[in-house]
Structure formats: C-alpha cells, structure tokens
Amino acid sequence: MKAPWKFLRYLPLAQRVLSRGRLPMLLMAVARKRKSGRGAIGGIGDDLRTLQSLCVAWWRGEYRAVSTQALLAVVAGLLYFVSPLDAIPDWLPGIGFLDDIAVLGWVMNKWSHELDAFRAWRQAQTPSKQADLERLPAANEAKA
C-alpha cells in the first residue's frame, strides 16, 4: 500500500523529533489537538491513544519491541496530525481533519501487526501501569 500524499515529507521530521528528544512535546501537542477537535476526529480517538501510549512506553524504555520504521511512521503520523498546514488545512470547517484521519488510518493499517503486539503487551500490564501509559511524559522528562 502506497503512503498517503505528503506523508513521506514527515519522516525526516519524525527522525529529528526522536533524535532531539522532542517526543514529549509532540505528544502534548497531539493531546491538545485531540481534545480541541473531539467531534471532528470521529472514531480515531482510540487509535490516537494507542499511538500515544506506544510513544510513551518507548520513550520511558518500557516497550522497545517496535521496529524503527514503525516508530518513525507513528511519529510522522502524529506530526502530520498536529500540523495545521497539511494536504487539507485543519481550519477548513468539516473537511480539515479528513486527511489527518486518512494518514492515521494508513499508519494503523500499515503497521497493524506492530500495533497489535503493543496492544497485547499493554493489556498484559497491571491496571496501574496501563493508566501510567496514558500519562504523557513531562516536557523535561529524560528518555530512558
């Protein structure tokens, strides 16, 4: 399956986010946009939480069983999601989130086996650990 239009330009940005320790700031931006666009993002809220939890677990060194390519795609998808000027600008009422939903859906589909493995791992954790994965890292929290 071919990557969505304009998505590939976010992969180098994702690499920089990871290498420069900016993942916590990205996750906070995703959380803010997710809350502000609650009705517009429809059924991808659970998918966004899964992607965020994966990033949190990776950041804290608790889950490293994800491939580098999958992690980069997840971070690139989240960057695309928070970008206000992507293929369809988010400020366009009604349709601004359509491309974001399509890109995140592509990431979820393309890397479904990796995300299913993460979900199984997360499900095997204690309830308190699962709740901790929902807590975003602080902007100054060091990577494990």
Side-chain angles (χ1 to χ4, degrees):
M1 180 189 295
K2 197 173 176 185
W5 183 59
K6 289 196 175 188
F7 173 75
L8 295 178
R9 71 192 312 193
Y10 287 86
L11 289 172
L13 297 172
Q15 179 63 46
R16 285 197 297 271
V17 164
L18 291 172
S19 66
R20 294 180 182 169
R22 306 269 194 234
L23 189 57
M25 288 177 273
L26 172 62
L27 295 175
M28 286 183 235
V30 170
R32 278 192 305 272
K33 184 170 180 182
R34 190 178 82 207
K35 287 178 185 170
S36 71
R38 188 164 294 246
I41 61 174
I44 66 162
D46 288 338
D47 293 339
L48 272 172
R49 274 192 294 285
T50 298
L51 297 176
Q52 284 182 286
S53 293
L54 171 63
C55 290
V56 169
W58 181 87
W59 180 258
R60 294 183 179 146
E62 297 166 0
Y63 185 80
R64 294 295 172 112
V66 61
S67 72
T68 302
Q69 295 87 358
L71 183 63
L72 281 173
V74 166
V75 173
L78 294 176
L79 281 166
Y80 193 96
F81 176 72
V82 299
S83 175
L85 300 173
D86 41 34
I88 303 173
D90 294 342
W91 50 265
L92 290 173
I95 63 169
F97 284 98
L98 289 178
D99 62 322
D100 298 345
I101 293 168
V103 165
L104 291 173
W106 179 85
V107 169
M108 297 297 293
N109 186 43
K110 171 79 174 160
W111 300 104
S112 62
H113 60 286
E114 300 252 8
L115 295 169
D116 289 343
F118 171 72
R119 284 187 195 100
W121 174 85
R122 183 179 60 185
Q123 191 63 32
Q125 305 305 304
T126 64
S128 64
K129 179 54 121 179
Q130 289 179 28
D132 194 41
L133 292 172
E134 296 291 321
R135 184 183 57 80
L136 298 177
N140 61 352
E141 183 176 323
K143 181 175 123 182

